[in-house]
Amino acid sequence: MAGPFDGTEFERLVPGDKKLDPEWVRALFARGRPTVYRGVDLDLIGMPIGGICAGQLYLGGDGRLWHWDVFNETIRTNEAHYANPLKPASPVDQGFAVRIKRAESEEVRVLDRKGFADVQFRGEYPIGTVIYEDPSVPVRVTLEAFSPFIPLDVDASSLPATTMNFTVENTSAERLEVELGGWLQNAVCHATGEAREGELVNTVVRDPGLLSLVCRAEAASTKPGSNRPPIVVADFEGTGYGDWTVEGKAFGDRPSAGQGPGQFLKGYEGKGLVNTWTGSDALTGRATSPPFTIERKYVNFLIGGGNHREQTCVNLKVDGRVVQSATGERTDAMTWRSFDVRRFAGKSARIEIVDAHSGDWGHIDADQIVQEDEARNGYGPVEKRRDYGTMSLALLAATDRDQCRPATPAGSPADGLFGAALPPRAPFGSKLVGSIVRHMILRPGEKQSAAFVVAWHFPNLSLPDTKLPKDLGRFYATRFQDAHAVARHVSTHWDRLDRETRLWRDVWYDSTLPFWLLDRTFANTSVLASSTCHRFRDGRFYGWEGVGCCAGTCTHVWHYAQAVGRLFPELERILRERVDYADGIGFDPKTGAISHRAEEPVGPAIDGQAGNILRAYREHQTSIDGKFLERLWPKVKRSLEYLIGHDSDGDGVLDGGQHNTLDASWFGEVPWLSSLYLAALKAGEAMARERGDVAFADRCREIAARGASNLEKLLWNDDFGYFVQRADPAHAMAVGSYDGCEIDQVFGQHWAFQVGLGRVLDEGRVRQALRSLWKYNFTPDVGPYREAYKAGRWYAMPGEAGLLMVTFPKSPRPPIDDPSGGWSAIYFNECMNGFEYQAAGHMIWEGLVQEGLAITRALHDRYDASRRNPWNEVECGDHYARSMASHGVFLATCGFEYHGPKGRIAFKPAIGADDFRAPFTAAEGWGTFSQRRDHDALSATLDVRWGRLALRSLDLNLGGRRQEVHAVASLGGVPIDGVVVRPAARSGVIELDFPVEVLVEPGRPLSTRIEHRAATRR
């Protein structure tokens, strides 16, 4: 990419001359070719392949489904999966195989890397394509896997299902008989069910054109209990461990007295327990009880902590061997678990508590081990458990020749896939696997296809350790009775779901933009199909910051994420109306403050508050009319008045304590926070004028004008070439960037561009600040900098490029003595994806195109499959929401603006403007925009491929020359008379006003041609 480097001190850490390789720079702009992964690069791939807000299921690099986080387990993640990417693992046995019959032989090949020598993967989210080839196998198999994904259609895109579409091609010169089969394990109650509690049941259902394997569970009938008293094995209430044998350091010399540092422990009884969290997971050890005689039917106990089998667990040992074991569930909310010990009655046993894991969630909690005649399973009634529900494997367009076996022989499912059926019932804890097989006869060169659906339905969602109600439920369960109903829905609507999903994929990639850029800026949309995002039974949309990380759809994180508001604006409108501006949830009507974590008792964050005002304006713009703004405006106005209240002297620059996304309150005058305030004022002015509130609009305009002037006067440092923070003397050593070059310093201007508000801050100084960010914060190798400044998490490793959060090129780092927030200064040394995308997108808007692309490409390279999962950008959790700021980079390359109620759309391409083509989305439709320059003329076309687009004006980038122009336009080939051409607010842009509303629909493109005319001389 760059180098070599030499130099001293800061230049050594962040070289001013990036020495970018010319070929690498050319590749930033080149169309290039689609990236295809193979070999070891397949190992870490996990593309989210389920519906949005429906759980998290990965498509692996070789086509296997893995991870399977669809069972409502709240998996906690943090930064660990950047340095140590998650490796494929699955609680569900599922896969596909082919049996190939030739004249005198037959063989079975599993569709994965073990079954085929050459496997290729191409990911074009939402579709993953896998090709299986092997010189010794006479067929070529292509898999196209996806869950239906249609922008603007939330329901169609939110199915708890994925489709596996196979095409089998005979590459030999002989006739082949081929059977393509899939299998699915019944994983209902796989984590919570015990043999005595119920049975797994598989059934075969045939509907017209649909063959389904349906997996469900039946709870066992309950029997009267016993009156024998319990026998306590251990309650850990003493001053030591008594007769227990303790090894290692994790357990200490006595039971724990409660939660450790930073731990959210609950559910234990009394005052003591086993808790090996000591502020870290580094220590290991084990504790073993003295022998005891089994005298009751069950051994019950409380457990929490990590879920690492054989490493963070409670074991029951009989005759010196482990006969039963239980792990925690990556939570310190302890629950009851039970060992059924009836078959060991009268035998001597021991309890062994193990902590043998030093990584993420490498600790164990245990308490109150007791023998009883009734199980105390903390999971409650079977029907209410998180993993109770149904699953289905279905074959679309099924015929009478297709076969479904509700149960296959034990062992390798591929071996039993094509054999005789077995009884379709088994007790909980057993493995019950069913299969479906499609039969094909293939002549030489012939292809045949089969489409399978993998569906799930687990309605019992709760999110523990939040302030949310316990029984949240899943929205998809209000639409479908069970997994078979999901499969039936897919079957009924398959033609449309398949066609429109592929249409969106094709529209996205039918572009002149580089393939790598299209890949990277859309990949993070898959966050919506991860367990970062949920939709509750009542329809509310909810997001963690990352998977299981930091509750409350955090305003100061989610306002960076531009993808949702453009692709599924309905979800963002739900957040505005039902969360952020909902009384008693996110909104305080008395003050106008918006809690930055909804119900969580945390109060407002200044950047999140400003971001919500800007998002409210964006959600208005992505509406078809003004009804959303009409409903919300009084509260939006009140929330802006709250911000104005934090501008105590009315100079347009915020002061006082300003809590923000860097998890601390900054004091003094902070450029990035005040820039967001100014952008919010501009948005407030625009909304107020649309609502006829002229007085408030004028007030916002006046404050914003003062603020722009004062921000430059007070915080611009001409010697440094960037904006700096001015300290509050009363909090002179509070955490802050001060003389540092901070990544978000002009973020408000970028937000203003995203919503068509134009200039908020001085153009020259903003561009200089961004050039300084490039010079002082971007490094082709973060290694030397992080060697000098070790504090912080790793989101870019030595040898990888990145844009650092805050650097101090012009002065020493300031001393910080801030007991409440000083720790957060570790963030300054990090490279965090969402912030990098924000800065990169802004650079592109400001004409620093190469710099913006280079930062984005550095991120793309960090997430190459040779290093980590390309579809899992990590911050303080997996699938981090802020990374959806990457969509803002795409919008910047298009120079895209849109205002639905006004019927206005605008494009000012930043890359290849002479011949440009890219997708767009609007309030009611999406399609392709293209333009071509030909000498003194510009031709442009809006081709709607889905839905419709109502327009009254179109802004186009004519170029820098200000000459008289002539424009013609047509709709579906029919001329539009009376088009008026006028200069637009943006430099080089002209506005075409149509005499009446123009409705652009599929098959009726809007075409325009603008020609220069020499100015008439007088």
Side-chain angles (χ1 to χ4, degrees):
M1 172 185 177
F5 297 99
D6 55 24
T8 59
E9 209 47 44
F10 190 83
E11 271 283 322
R12 181 180 63 82
L13 305 181
V14 183
D17 180 0
K18 311 306 175 186
K19 297 185 178 180
L20 299 180
D21 181 272
E23 286 300 318
W24 189 85
V25 172
R26 277 192 285 273
L28 295 177
F29 296 88
R31 173 67 168 155
R33 295 180 179 179
T35 299
V36 177
Y37 296 111
R38 62 203 325 160
V40 295
D41 287 351
L42 302 174
D43 291 349
L44 300 175
I45 288 174
M47 176 189 280
I49 202 71
I52 64 178
C53 300
Q56 182 174 323
L57 177 64
Y58 280 162
L59 176 69
D62 65 355
R64 290 178 297 171
L65 299 178
W66 65 282
H67 195 56
W68 284 92
D69 181 17
V70 301
F71 302 104
N72 302 316
E73 177 185 2
T74 302
I75 296 175
R76 304 288 186 179
T77 65
N78 54 28
E79 74 276 9
H81 290 152
Y82 187 85
N84 299 289
L86 192 65
K87 293 180 172 58
S90 175
V92 180
D93 194 343
Q94 191 281 323
F96 292 88
V98 289
R99 179 162 69 170
I100 306 160
K101 297 180 181 180
R102 310 192 211 201
E104 298 181 356
S105 65
E106 70 173 58
E107 61 178 322
V108 174
R109 293 288 184 126
V110 179
L111 291 172
D112 60 20
R113 288 177 65 193
K114 294 179 181 177
F116 284 77
D118 182 16
V119 179
Q120 305 164 45
F121 183 95
R122 167 66 181 152
E124 296 177 332
Y125 188 78
I127 300 176
T129 301
V130 187
I131 297 174
Y132 304 90
E133 295 179 304
D134 192 310
S136 66
V137 180
V139 296
R140 181 179 190 261
V141 182
T142 300
L143 163 65
E144 291 180 296
F146 61 87
S147 186
F149 183 100
I150 305 165
L152 307 182
D153 190 340
V154 173
D155 283 350
S157 306
S158 303
L159 300 177
T162 192
T163 65
M164 310 289 280
N165 306 277
F166 293 95
T167 299
V168 184
E169 178 184 1
N170 182 354
T171 57
S172 74
E174 60 179 302
R175 176 182 178 275
L176 297 176
E177 183 179 351
V178 177
E179 290 176 306
L180 170 64
W183 68 90
L184 176 66
Q185 177 187 350
N186 185 332
V188 178
C189 293
H190 75 280
T192 69
E194 297 182 5
R196 60 182 172 78
E197 295 181 310
E199 279 191 318
L200 303 173
V201 181
N202 284 357
T203 56
V204 178
V205 180
R206 280 190 181 269
D207 290 328
L210 181 68
L211 176 61
S212 299
L213 167 72
V214 181
C215 306
R216 57 188 177 88
E218 293 179 357
S221 59
T222 58
K223 298 179 180 179
S226 168
N227 292 323
R228 290 194 296 179
I231 302 172
V232 176
V233 177
D235 59 12
F236 304 107
E237 294 299 311
T239 58
Y241 286 107
D243 294 334
W244 283 60
T245 301
V246 178
E247 307 169 48
K249 297 182 179 180
F251 292 80
D253 59 2
R254 69 192 68 187
S256 171
Q259 66 184 22
Q263 188 180 31
F264 298 98
L265 177 70
K266 63 181 181 180
Y268 60 95
E269 296 189 356
K271 297 181 178 179
L273 75 155
V274 170
N275 174 15
T276 64
W277 170 259
T278 60
S280 85
D281 285 323
L283 301 180
T284 60
R286 74 182 61 226
T288 306
S289 75
F292 62 92
T293 301
I294 294 178
E295 301 179 60
R296 299 290 186 268
K297 297 178 181 179
Y298 300 95
V299 174
N300 298 319
F301 52 94
L302 287 163
I303 189 171
N307 65 342
H308 308 284
R309 291 184 180 180
E310 301 181 359
Q311 294 183 304
T312 53
C313 55
V314 174
N315 295 330
L316 176 70
K317 300 184 77 171
V318 177
D319 296 331
R321 65 185 183 90
V322 176
V323 295
Q324 294 198 51
S325 182
T327 70
E329 293 190 302
R330 297 174 67 91
T331 176
D332 291 310
M334 300 177 70
T335 57
W336 283 102
R337 299 288 293 277
S338 300
F339 290 149
D340 184 342
V341 294
R342 285 174 289 188
R343 66 185 183 279
F344 303 117
K347 290 196 172 186
S348 178
R350 294 178 187 264
I351 293 291
E352 180 183 58
I353 306 174
V354 179
D355 179 351
H357 191 85
S358 297
D360 185 34
W361 282 98
H363 66 273
I364 187 72
D365 313 317
D367 193 19
Q368 208 63 23
I369 304 169
V370 59
Q371 294 192 62
E372 297 180 281
D373 280 327
E374 294 294 327
R376 276 216 244 174
N377 194 320
Y379 299 116
V382 169
E383 294 84 355
K384 297 294 184 181
R385 295 182 187 175
R386 63 172 178 81
D387 55 353
Y388 177 81
T390 55
M391 306 172 72
S392 179
L393 174 66
L395 177 62
L396 304 182
T399 69
D400 292 341
R401 295 196 64 188
D402 299 320
Q403 296 179 315
C404 180
R405 298 173 177 83
T408 60
S412 168
D415 293 338
L417 189 60
F418 308 102
L422 296 176
R425 305 177 76 95
F428 282 2
S430 303
K431 188 173 183 179
L432 180 63
V433 179
S435 67
I436 294 182
V437 177
R438 159 63 57 88
H439 185 266
M440 304 174 178
I441 301 294
L442 297 176
R443 297 184 298 274
E446 186 180 0
K447 300 177 183 179
Q448 288 189 30
S449 297
F452 292 82
V453 179
V454 178
W456 57 92
H457 187 280
F458 294 93
N460 301 327
L461 174 68
S462 293
L463 298 181
D465 302 325
T466 69
K467 297 298 182 182
L468 293 162
K470 183 178 180 181
D471 182 18
L472 297 167
R474 287 199 177 270
F475 184 70
Y476 68 64
T478 67
R479 301 176 58 201
F480 305 106
Q481 182 178 1
D482 56 20
H484 180 61
V486 176
R488 188 186 297 120
H489 175 87
V490 174
S491 175
T492 301
H493 301 281
W494 176 240
D495 286 347
R496 182 180 78 86
L497 296 173
D498 178 55
R499 180 180 68 254
E500 293 180 6
T501 299
R502 293 175 186 274
L503 177 62
W504 169 254
R505 187 270 311 270
D506 294 345
V507 165
W508 180 260
Y509 282 97
D510 180 23
S511 172
T512 55
L513 292 170
F515 274 106
W516 74 264
L517 184 66
L518 293 167
D519 284 348
R520 181 49 44 202
T521 56
F522 204 71
N524 292 312
T525 307
S526 64
V527 169
L528 290 170
S530 76
S531 290
T532 295
C533 298
H534 298 284
R535 197 166 180 200
F536 303 149
R537 182 190 299 113
D538 65 1
R540 174 178 166 182
F541 176 66
Y542 181 93
W544 301 94
E545 291 184 21
V547 174
C549 160
C550 304
T553 323
C554 178
T555 63
H556 65 58
V557 168
W558 275 83
H559 86 105
Y560 286 76
Q562 295 294 335
V564 189
R566 298 297 178 177
L567 298 165
F568 298 103
E570 175 186 340
L571 297 179
E572 287 283 6
R573 285 193 285 270
I574 289 172
L575 285 178
R576 300 294 84 71
E577 296 195 81
R578 298 190 55 185
V579 181
D580 299 324
Y581 287 105
D583 294 357
I585 297 180
F587 191 67
D588 182 348
K590 294 180 180 179
T591 65
I594 301 171
S595 167
H596 72 269
R597 296 192 187 278
E599 294 94 342
E600 308 298 318
V602 293
I606 289 295
D607 48 350
Q609 184 94 6
N612 268 352
I613 295 162
L614 289 156
R615 292 158 86 190
Y617 186 43
R618 181 190 63 195
E619 272 64 89
H620 167 57
Q621 292 181 329
T622 56
S623 302
I624 59 173
D625 54 34
K627 292 180 181 178
F628 168 82
L629 182 59
E630 180 181 357
R631 294 193 301 270
L632 213 59
W633 171 242
K635 291 183 177 182
V636 175
K637 178 180 178 179
R638 190 77 185 94
S639 67
L640 184 50
E641 289 173 332
Y642 175 88
L643 276 183
I644 294 171
H646 280 67
D647 175 10
S648 62
D649 56 6
D651 68 347
V653 180
L654 297 171
D655 44 45
Q658 300 158 60
H659 190 80
N660 61 71
T661 195
L662 298 183
D663 295 326
S665 289
W666 288 24
F667 290 84
E669 292 146 334
V670 185
W672 62 287
L673 297 174
S674 285
S675 78
L676 286 166
Y677 170 45
L678 298 182
L681 286 166
K682 294 281 282 186
E685 178 194 353
M687 287 184 279
R689 294 202 188 284
E690 291 194 47
R691 293 301 308 146
D693 193 343
V694 176
F696 189 71
D698 290 344
R699 183 186 177 199
C700 291
R701 185 190 65 225
E702 291 166 5
I703 299 172
R706 286 197 299 273
S709 175
N710 287 324
L711 194 72
E712 294 157 17
K713 186 186 304 180
L714 298 173
L715 305 182
W716 176 257
N717 188 311
D718 211 37
D719 292 334
F720 292 2
Y722 54 83
F723 289 93
V724 297
Q725 177 184 350
R726 195 165 75 161
D728 179 348
H731 301 272
M733 300 185 74
V735 66
S737 58
Y738 301 108
D739 284 351
C741 189
E742 196 271 337
I743 194 169
D744 272 347
Q745 59 186 273
V746 286
F747 185 10
Q749 182 60 73
H750 187 195
W751 242 121
F753 286 149
Q754 296 266 0
V755 289
L757 291 171
R759 283 283 163 200
V760 174
L761 298 171
D762 177 75
E763 179 177 347
R765 285 173 174 165
V766 167
R767 288 182 176 173
Q768 180 56 51
L770 293 173
R771 282 192 288 267
S772 294
L773 268 180
W774 171 256
K775 181 177 181 180
Y776 299 131
N777 294 53
F778 181 77
T779 173
D781 180 0
V782 303
Y785 192 89
R786 291 306 302 272
E787 179 63 28
Y789 300 103
K790 293 183 170 61
R793 302 159 300 178
W794 290 91
Y795 304 124
M797 306 299 288
E800 296 176 344
L803 188 69
L804 296 157
M805 290 288 292
V806 185
T807 65
F808 295 86
K810 299 297 184 178
S811 64
R813 290 188 167 217
I816 292 174
D817 184 9
D818 185 345
S820 64
W823 66 271
S824 63
I826 66 170
Y827 295 158
F828 295 176
N829 305 327
E830 299 174 356
C831 296
M832 290 197 259
N833 315 329
F835 295 90
E836 293 173 277
Y837 286 128
Q838 185 284 121
H842 192 181
M843 288 177 181
I844 293 170
W845 276 106
E846 297 284 5
L848 304 178
V849 179
Q850 180 174 306
E851 292 86 343
L853 291 179
I855 292 167
T856 307
R857 181 62 199 235
L859 274 157
H860 185 64
D861 291 347
R862 296 206 310 252
Y863 282 92
D864 185 81
S866 63
R867 298 178 176 183
R868 48 192 60 87
N869 182 1
W871 288 272
N872 179 18
E873 291 198 10
V874 180
E875 197 180 303
C876 78
D878 287 0
H879 299 284
Y880 201 75
R882 196 184 338 249
S883 285
M884 287 189 283
S886 60
H887 197 76
V889 176
F890 165 75
L891 296 175
T893 64
C894 301
F896 177 77
E897 295 178 3
Y898 176 70
H899 194 304
K902 290 185 178 181
R904 175 181 174 270
I905 198 166
F907 299 89
K908 188 179 181 182
I911 301 174
D914 288 345
D915 185 8
F916 179 84
R917 187 172 63 256
F920 70 89
T921 58
E924 298 179 280
W926 42 263
T928 298
F929 167 78
S930 59
Q931 71 172 42
R932 178 169 293 180
R933 287 181 179 150
D934 181 17
H935 301 294
D936 287 334
L938 174 70
S939 298
T941 301
L942 275 168
D943 186 6
V944 170
R945 306 295 303 280
W946 187 96
R948 64 181 199 169
L949 174 66
L951 282 185
R952 297 185 185 90
S953 67
L954 168 65
D955 287 11
L956 297 172
N957 179 26
L958 193 58
R961 291 171 294 179
R962 288 286 186 176
Q963 294 178 310
E964 183 182 350
V965 297
H966 171 70
V968 294
S970 63
L971 182 64
V974 179
I976 302 173
D977 297 325
V979 177
V980 176
V981 182
R982 69 182 81 237
R986 288 195 280 176
S987 174
V989 175
I990 61 166
E991 178 180 314
L992 277 64
D993 292 337
F994 303 109
V996 295
E997 182 178 83
V998 174
L999 193 61
V1000 190
E1001 296 176 302
R1004 299 176 68 225
L1006 174 66
S1007 299
T1008 64
R1009 182 173 175 83
I1010 303 116
E1011 297 178 345
H1012 289 278
R1013 286 182 176 177
T1016 303
R1017 293 185 179 181
R1018 293 176 180 262

